[in-house]
Amino acid sequence: MTTTKTIAAAAVLIAGAGAAQATELKLSDQFPVQHTITTQGTQAFFDTIAANPDADLTIRHFPAGQLGKPTAQLDVVKDRIAEIAVVGISYVPERLPLSTMMELPQLYGDSFDGYVPIQHMMKTELNEAEFRKAGIRPLWVIVTPQYQLLLTRDEPIAGIEDLSGVKARVAGATAELVASALGMTPVRMPAPDLYVALERGTLDAAIYSLSVLKSYKLEEVTNSYTSNAALGGVAFMGFINEDVWQSLTPEQQALLEEAGDAAGFATACALAKNEQATIAELEGMGKTVYELDEATQAQFASALESVSADWRATMDERGIPGSRMLDVFQATQEKMRADGSIEAAAKECGA
């Protein structure tokens, strides 16, 4: 048996085995092939599959929205257009509402402080409360570092009043609450459309992650960046169709779980390292990267207090156990901070 790997704009093929009876699965996502999530996280998924040819499992990759727009990835996997898809939770808040808690500001610190607890919960509480009902099974989770303000203006903001009326891209409903609380005008927009909107002046800013800023060349159309605003994040999850999962052999299921764990960890590690590297690169380009001073941080904290409360109230109004799930996340996070699980993961990464 041989292992082959072909990377092209049209598709990426990872052949785990050459046997005629091998199972082939399609993997769909929105990310361009040069994106950090693709080159580090998704590649770790492929590498794990390729390293285990006896499972007779082949993954064919369709990146950059070839099988569906970012907003359609959940339907891609549910309808079996692809057996596996990476779904941006912020694009489907009505359908996976509990998972939008990862967008709440100041919910976690670095990538691992968010990734480690939610990686546990996606296989337990969240799976039972949300994913199983949707006919999908989570294989891995991606949690971005805390979002920052990316602005077209050159100078730092002097206070929250500088954000009044600023048109800012947001990823989803929770980020809309964040932007509105800060006095900005939120505009929902997929990341691939962000460059043109900033270039044309349709937007003045974006609430986005510094760790993947360069994946969309946003450094070309923005000039100043906060580094400690902690405006929330976003989660992506790699799902497999549940019926497809049930059709696989136990060996293939175990390999997909192993590959998913590898993808989640590799992505968290890459994003954590990439954020610091990006800050250094931006500073080297003469861009303005700055920490909010204590007075402005206090303004932000005061303005954002309502966001978590609004999120809980919205979940309660819909009869969704969001408050309970958020409490579970925070309890899990505190436990993993105390027992060293989060610190150990960051140490293994070297972040």
Side-chain angles (χ1 to χ4, degrees), residues 9 150 172 251 295 299:
L150 287 57
E251 291 77 15
Q299 287 182 321

Side-chain angles (χ1 to χ4, degrees), residues 34-227:
Q34 73 272 17
H35 198 290
T36 298
I37 288 175
T38 303
T39 60
Q40 301 297 315
T42 313
Q43 190 61 52
F45 183 84
F46 297 152
D47 290 344
T48 304
I49 299 293
N52 293 272
D54 290 345
D56 287 340
L57 187 61
T58 298
I59 309 293
R60 187 171 178 83
H61 186 205
F62 293 85
Q66 293 177 44
L67 298 184
K69 295 180 179 180
T71 52
Q73 291 300 317
L74 182 57
D75 288 323
V76 166
V77 66
K78 284 176 64 69
D79 297 341
R80 297 179 64 167
I81 297 169
E83 292 79 10
I84 303 171
V86 181
V87 177
I89 301 302
S90 61
Y91 297 128
V92 288
E94 297 300 315
R95 300 168 70 183
L96 299 176
L98 293 173
S99 301
T100 64
M101 68 180 171
M102 299 310 296
E103 300 173 22
L104 294 172
Q106 302 174 334
L107 180 65
Y108 56 90
D110 62 19
S111 292
F112 287 101
D113 196 46
Y115 162 71
V116 175
I118 198 64
Q119 192 261 355
H120 168 77
M121 284 184 65
M122 77 170 190
K123 298 180 179 181
T124 52
E125 290 89 353
L126 269 178
N127 189 44
E128 291 300 318
E130 191 154 76
F131 307 142
R132 187 184 295 273
K133 298 174 183 177
I136 51 179
R137 177 180 292 261
L139 294 176
W140 74 97
V141 62
I142 298 165
V143 178
T144 66
Q146 285 283 308
Y147 275 15
Q148 301 297 331
L149 278 175
L150 287 57
L151 297 117
T152 55
R153 61 185 278 166
D154 294 316
E155 65 276 8
I157 63 169
I160 200 171
E161 61 276 3
D162 286 349
L163 299 178
S164 179
V166 168
K167 299 186 294 296
R169 178 265 181 178
V170 298
T174 307
E176 281 185 346
L177 294 175
V178 170
S180 296
L182 295 175
M184 295 187 286
T185 301
V187 180
R188 280 207 212 186
M189 184 179 296
D193 299 333
L194 186 49
Y195 183 102
V196 172
L198 288 164
E199 183 182 42
R200 293 178 177 175
T202 307
L203 294 177
D204 308 306
I207 296 177
Y208 200 53
S209 173
L210 295 180
S211 62
V212 292
L213 173 151
K214 295 189 70 179
S215 295
Y216 294 104
K217 300 182 179 180
L218 300 182
E219 75 282 1
E220 297 178 3
V221 289
T222 51
N223 297 297
S224 64
Y225 318 84
T226 62
S227 61

Side-chain angles (χ1 to χ4, degrees), residues 189-313:
M189 184 179 296
D193 299 333
L194 186 49
Y195 183 102
V196 172
L198 288 164
E199 183 182 42
R200 293 178 177 175
T202 307
L203 294 177
D204 308 306
I207 296 177
Y208 200 53
S209 173
L210 295 180
S211 62
V212 292
L213 173 151
K214 295 189 70 179
S215 295
Y216 294 104
K217 300 182 179 180
L218 300 182
E219 75 282 1
E220 297 178 3
V221 289
T222 51
N223 297 297
S224 64
Y225 318 84
T226 62
S227 61
N228 64 341
L231 300 179
V234 72
F236 292 85
M237 293 195 182
F239 292 113
I240 185 169
N241 182 284
E242 180 65 25
D243 290 338
V244 172
W245 173 265
Q246 296 299 336
S247 73
L248 299 175
T249 67
E251 291 77 15
Q252 290 169 335
Q253 291 177 347
L255 179 55
L256 284 171
E257 288 187 331
E258 180 185 350
D261 288 345
F265 177 82
T267 307
C269 186
L271 292 177
K273 291 180 176 179
N274 214 35
E275 183 173 50
Q276 294 306 311
T278 298
I279 289 173
E281 289 183 44
L282 289 171
E283 291 174 336
M285 295 168 62
K287 303 284 187 174
T288 303
V289 185
Y290 62 98
E291 292 187 353
L292 300 174
D293 60 31
E294 289 186 9
T296 305
Q297 279 188 295
Q299 287 182 321
F300 272 50
S302 177
L304 294 173
E305 281 181 357
S306 64
V307 175
S308 292
D310 286 349
W311 186 87
R312 287 179 184 268

